[in-house]
């Protein structure tokens, strides 16, 4: 922060407040001649939504009584994060419903009725293709359905309607036009991927544990995009260890938090790990205990790896093969992601909808609630694919069963609670709890409900088979079954994790099925498939115009494999800059950048020859919203005069030339609002991606949540606070009391809220860096604005509507100003041209003291920001969150923003803006 440059933050002290009152009195005398609008004209900090609300209300007041034309209805902009399937969305739209569980959406009773109808529908025939279920069927009805299904001969039969069976059936239908019969023991399709909308909360949950899609295989990624829109999502897991939430996999933040260290970079982390690790110089680790010790050493092994492995497997690591703990990443940096694959996303309408699409062909018949072994003698198939447990197929041999671990899921609804825990998945590795992890699905796709829902997972030996147990006894037994399977070649093909007694991630199961189909159909005449429809992938940083141009050129996400190379991006950015210098870009926008004197004169002559209904000074939120309203509602003309060379004010963003990452020129802008009117308004101009902003602070070498919450306090003071009641008691002890008066300044306000220790560690040094004044010199509102939480909620904002525009903010302003009723003049100082402007009404959104500069009064004080741009080559992420504040005095900067985190953008490099 500094005192020079563009004005950002009004400095709220007595001197400035008194001076602003004098300017305000002068502004009142100008009533009827000019209207002052926005943060600079009102000398008040506005969030984006407050600026929009202020502009909308001002327009309403100024146009009261005018005859307004009817606006076209709001087009339904996409909002990624709506948990409904396409069918659910269409039904809700017909009924006027919104996101289920949210205000304006369906009530739980309505949801329940709808779920019941869906369940009933599934019991009939014809749901997503030819799916027939035996649930609730009378004996005669079952016999009739079986008669109908088994009367036919099928090209292929699949045992299991999970990933393996569904993918292979879909391929045979789409590529060869062949028929398939799928027999499924459960009462639903989708295998362990099956998800549904919970009746009580309206939150989409998975029945068999959280499924997070990630892959390094381009073929798999292209395949799954045939069946769904996807939302980019990079999974992060926390572990509750010693009362603290720490990143899992282990990284620098994990080690710093658990052992009170201050490791700063990968080199230091490598040295620390080397000292901790147990060496096996003459051989490889023989089991999971040795593997873990060789990677993280004894302390982390005892704290995390050993107890968690026992809870998961009911065996100590020394009893399991080394592959169990070898699968768990260990990081030497701050990367908090669970997976490192280039493609990571969630299906926007859930996994079940994908299987519906896969199996919708009339070439595929699916029989639910039917055990293959009960009907196998009635099935007529040319080929059989078996995806059940291989030992079940050979049960008639009387051999031992292979061991599997299963999971139990305890469902728990927590009423009137935003979030129960700070992440979707929190592992509980230590022996003080019987469960292994808690999954809170509301975090995934940022779903909305007044309640939240938890699934508490416990491992056991009974129930559906999940995880093959990798010890010598089972490996030897599986080899015997494998030998029997080889003898069945030509009669049956074993496919999937249960049939191969091997744990597959989702992408590995799909890849395995695709490759098996290729091998089994080699040489067959295949029909040409229809080209892949372009499924939406939220997180693509391009504007609509960029996306269309890239599509024409065959490009993908910029910065990603298959996308445009930086040189091409650079050429394109240059062309855009050149285009802006002409006329006619998004409406009638004219820029003076690079214009010769004669050209400038000609453009000014053209623009100022006209009289306008309205003139706006500034093409930021206030000016743009009011101009758009006059154009759309009253059909009136507006001239916007903007000093900068771009529209959008401080919201302006662009795609960085070198990295292909969309960044903001004037600092991170995170949209959030509690105002429904504002939310409906901004959705006219863009698709949005739900996004709940989380900020970390680097304090005493540790990354801790900001605003202060239970995790912050536990990490900084080595406490084990468990719940809001404990946190309230701790805060009460810490707080400084002012019994006879309100806090008089920001120091007293902070002390009254968090006490001296947190004040000295965070509030005092950060305030000085931000304002160049100590908190005692500033009004109480500065530190009153910063939330303090008594729970684990790590979100920076608490508003019901939180999202990012899917194509950036600049694209919103392009849409706002595209009307031919609006002319925008860039690179033009209002005070240089004001005498040439002909307007019936004037709206001024610049600094109020600049408007009255002719009076010769003192200037109002503002704080400004400087942004140092830094590209870090060949790096996935530099820091664990998009925004990391640096409150302490050991660094000159206030925060580092890493835009690659926002919308999970893709690039081989990353880019930082150091403020």
């Amino acid at each position: 922060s500094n005192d020079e440059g563009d004005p950002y933050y009004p400095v709220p002290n007595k001197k400035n407040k008194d001076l602003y009152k004098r300017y305000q009195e002068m502004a009142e005398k100008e009533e009827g001649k000019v209207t002052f609008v926005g943060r600079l004209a009102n000398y008040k900090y506005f969030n984006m939504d407050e600026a929009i609300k202020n502009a909308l209300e001002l327009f309403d007041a100024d146009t009261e009584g005018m005859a307004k034309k009817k606006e076209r209805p709001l087009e339904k902009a996409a909002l990624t994060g709506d948990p409904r399937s396409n069918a659910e969305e269409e039904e809700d739209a017909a009924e006027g419903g919104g996101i289920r569980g949210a205000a304006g959406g369906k009530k739980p009773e309505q949801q329940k009725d709808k779920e019941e109808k869906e369940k009933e529908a599934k019991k009939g025939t014809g749901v997503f293709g030819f799916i027939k279920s035996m649930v609730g069927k009378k004996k005669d009805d079952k016999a009739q359905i079986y008669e109908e299904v088994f009367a036919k001969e099928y090209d292929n039969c699949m045992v299991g309607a999970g990933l393996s069976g569904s993918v292979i059936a879909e391929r045979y239908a789409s590529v060869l036009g062949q028929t398939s019969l799928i027999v499924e023991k459960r009462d639903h399709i989708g295998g362990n991927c099956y998800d549904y909308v919970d009746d009580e909360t309206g939150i989409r949950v998975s029945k068999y544990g959280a499924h997070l899609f990630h892959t390094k295989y381009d073929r798999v990624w292209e395949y799954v995009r045939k069946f769904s829109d996807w939302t980019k999502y990079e999974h992060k897991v926390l572990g509750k260890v010693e009362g603290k939430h720490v990143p899992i996999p282990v990284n620098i933040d994990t080690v710093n938090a658990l052992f009170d260290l201050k490791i700063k970079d990968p080199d230091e982390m490598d040295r620390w790990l080397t000292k901790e690790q147990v060496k096996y110089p003459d051989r490889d680790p023989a089991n999971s205990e040795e593997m873990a010790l060789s990677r993280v050493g004894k302390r982390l092994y005892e704290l995390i790896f050993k107890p968690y492995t026992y809870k998961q497997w009911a065996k100590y690591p020394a009893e399991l093969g080394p592959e169990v703990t070898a699968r768990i990443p260990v990081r030497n940096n701050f990367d908090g992601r669970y997976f490192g694959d280039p493609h990571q996303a969630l299906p926007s309408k859930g996994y079940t909808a994908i299987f519906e699409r896969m199996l919708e062909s009339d070439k595929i018949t699916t029989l639910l609630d039917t055990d293959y072994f009960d009907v196998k003698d009635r099935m007529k198939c040319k080929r059989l694919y078996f995806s059940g447990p291989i030992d079940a197929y050979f049960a008639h041999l009387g051999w031992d069963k292979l061991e599997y671990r299963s999971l139990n899921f305890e469902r728990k609804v927590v009423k009137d609670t935003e979030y129960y825990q700070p992440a979707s998945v929190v592992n509980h590795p230590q022996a003080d709890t019987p469960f292994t992890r808690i999954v809170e699905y509301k975090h995934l796709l940022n779903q909305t409900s007044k309640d939240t829902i938890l699934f508490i997972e416990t491992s056991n030996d009974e129930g559906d088979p999940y995880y093959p147990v990798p010890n010598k006894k089972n490996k030897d037994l599986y080899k015997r079954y494998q030998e029997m399977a080889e003898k069945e070649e030509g009669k049956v093909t074993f496919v999937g994790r249960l049939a191969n007694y091997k744990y597959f991630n989702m992408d590995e199961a799909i890849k395995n099925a695709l490759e098996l189909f290729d091998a089994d159909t080699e040489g067959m005449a295949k029909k040409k498939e229809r080209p892949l429809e372009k499924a939406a992938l939220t997180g693509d940083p391009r504007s609509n115009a960029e996306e269309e141009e890239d599509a024409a050129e065959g490009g993908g996400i910029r910065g990603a494999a298959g996308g445009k190379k930086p040189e091409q991006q650079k050429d394109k950015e240059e062309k855009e800059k050149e285009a802006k210098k002409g006329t006619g870009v998004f409406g009638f926008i004219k820029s003076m950048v690079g214009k010769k004197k004669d050209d400038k004169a000609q453009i000014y002559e053209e623009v100022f020859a006209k009289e306008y209904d309205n003139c706006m000074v500034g093409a930021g939120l206030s000016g743009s919203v009011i101009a758009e309203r006059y154009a759309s509602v009253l059909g009136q003309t507006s001239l916007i005069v903007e000093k900068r060379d771009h529209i959008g004010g401080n919201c302006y963003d662009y795609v960085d030339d070198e990295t292909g990452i969309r960044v903001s020129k004037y600092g991170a802008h995170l949209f959030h609002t509690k105002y429904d009117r504002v939310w409906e308004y901004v959705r006219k101009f863009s698709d949005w991606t739900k996004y709940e902003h989380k900020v970390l602070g680097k304090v005493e070498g540790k990354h801790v949540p900001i605003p202060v919450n239970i995790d912050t306090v536990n990490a900084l003071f080595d406490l084990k606070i468990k719940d809001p009641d404990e946190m309230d008691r701790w805060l009460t002890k810490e707080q400084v009391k002012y019994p006879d008066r309100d806090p008089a300044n920001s120091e007293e306000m902070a002390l009254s809220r968090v006490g001296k220790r947190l004040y000295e560690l965070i509030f005092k040094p950060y305030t000085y860096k931000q304002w160049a004044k100590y908190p005692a010199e500033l009004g109480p509102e500065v530190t009153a604005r910063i939330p303090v939480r008594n729970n684990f909620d790590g979100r920076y904002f608490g508003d019901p509507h939180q999202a990012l525009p899917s194509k950036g903010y600049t694209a919103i302003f392009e849409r706002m100003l595209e009307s031919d009723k609006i002319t925008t003049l860039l690179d033009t100082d209002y005070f240089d041209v004001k005498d040439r402007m002909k307007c019936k009404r004037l709206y001024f959104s610049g600094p109020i003291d600049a408007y009255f500069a002719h009076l010769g009064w003192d200037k109002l004080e503002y704080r400004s920001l400087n942004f140092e741009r830094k590209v870090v080559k060949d790096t996935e992420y530099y820091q664990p969150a998009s925004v990391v504040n640096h409150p302490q005095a050991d660094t000159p900067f206030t925060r580092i923003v890493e835009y690659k985190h926002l919308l999970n953008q893709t690039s081989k490099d990353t880019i930082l803006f150091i403020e």
Side-chain angles (χ1 to χ4, degrees), residues 465-690:
Y466 279 77
Y467 306 110
V469 178
N471 58 19
K472 188 176 185 305
K473 174 191 166 189
N474 287 306
K475 288 176 182 177
D476 291 344
L477 180 57
Y478 171 64
K479 281 181 185 174
R480 294 176 63 197
Y481 281 119
Q482 199 173 24
E483 288 165 3
M484 291 302 297
E486 288 167 3
K487 294 176 183 176
E488 299 280 300
E489 195 170 342
K491 181 180 172 186
V492 59
T493 301
F494 294 90
V495 59
R497 62 186 181 88
L498 299 178
N500 286 279
Y501 199 63
K502 180 182 178 183
Y503 182 78
F504 285 152
N505 286 323
M506 286 185 285
D507 66 324
E508 294 167 333
I510 294 167
K511 177 174 177 281
N512 176 250
L514 291 172
E515 290 176 350
L516 188 58
F517 170 79
D518 291 344
D520 285 358
T521 59
E522 193 173 1
M524 292 186 188
K526 297 176 183 176
K527 64 181 184 179
K528 189 172 181 181
E529 289 189 82
R530 65 181 184 275
L532 170 66
E533 293 174 16
K534 185 169 183 184
L537 175 63
T538 304
D540 186 338
R542 299 163 296 174
S543 69
N544 295 329
E546 291 166 343
E547 186 175 15
E548 285 161 17
E549 184 174 324
D550 281 0
E553 297 173 10
I557 297 174
R558 28 180 82 204
K564 293 192 168 186
K565 293 182 172 61
E567 292 80 2
Q568 291 170 296
Q569 292 168 13
K570 198 164 185 179
D571 291 343
K572 186 166 182 294
E573 292 284 326
E574 288 304 316
K575 286 176 190 171
E576 286 174 349
K577 287 175 187 170
E578 287 302 315
K580 274 191 182 176
K581 296 172 191 173
T583 61
V585 181
F586 14 99
F588 293 85
I589 294 184
K590 303 166 192 293
S591 175
M592 300 297 105
V593 172
K595 293 290 180 191
K596 295 178 181 176
K597 191 174 181 181
D598 291 344
D599 295 332
K600 284 186 180 181
Q602 185 180 339
I603 290 173
Y604 280 156
E605 194 68 38
E606 176 191 340
V607 170
F608 296 130
K610 301 171 187 171
E611 183 179 13
Y612 300 88
D613 295 309
N614 313 283
C615 288
M616 289 79 187
V617 180
L621 281 168
S622 301
S624 298
V625 169
I626 295 171
E628 184 279 328
R629 292 288 75 199
Y630 273 114
S632 298
V633 178
L634 292 169
Q636 289 191 5
T637 59
S638 293
L639 168 64
I640 302 177
V641 174
E642 170 57 60
K643 193 173 181 180
R644 289 170 170 168
D645 67 349
H646 58 75
I647 57 174
N650 284 359
C651 300
Y652 174 72
D653 55 19
Y654 61 95
V655 175
D656 177 71
D657 293 343
E658 186 176 353
T659 62
I661 296 169
R662 184 171 290 282
V663 300
S664 292
K665 186 169 184 176
Y666 305 98
H669 282 68
L670 298 313
F671 186 84
H672 58 101
T673 187
K674 63 185 178 184
Y675 305 116
D676 290 340
R677 183 187 183 188
V678 171
W679 179 230
E680 288 303 309
Y681 179 73
V682 297
R683 288 189 69 191
K684 290 174 183 277
F685 307 105
S686 177
D687 293 343
W688 291 77
T689 299
K690 284 189 151 196

Side-chain angles (χ1 to χ4, degrees), residues 129-132 148-149 152 154 156 158 169 179-183 359 361-367:
F130 294 87
I131 294 184
K132 303 166 193 294
E148 175 191 341
V149 170
K152 302 172 187 172
Y154 300 88
N156 312 282
M158 289 79 186
T179 58
S180 293
L181 168 63
I182 303 177
V183 174
L359 302 180
S361 169
D362 60 5
K363 301 288 184 185
I364 302 171
T365 299
T366 305
L367 201 55

Side-chain angles (χ1 to χ4, degrees), residues 446-479:
N446 299 317
Q447 299 183 63
T448 308
S449 174
K450 69 181 183 64
D451 307 320
T452 191
I453 187 169
L454 313 175
F455 284 81
I456 303 164
E457 295 186 12
T458 309
S459 295
N460 55 54
D461 290 320
E462 295 179 2
D464 290 329
Y466 279 77
Y467 306 110
V469 178
N471 58 19
K472 188 176 185 305
K473 174 191 166 189
N474 287 306
K475 288 176 182 177
D476 291 344
L477 180 57
Y478 171 64
K479 281 181 185 174

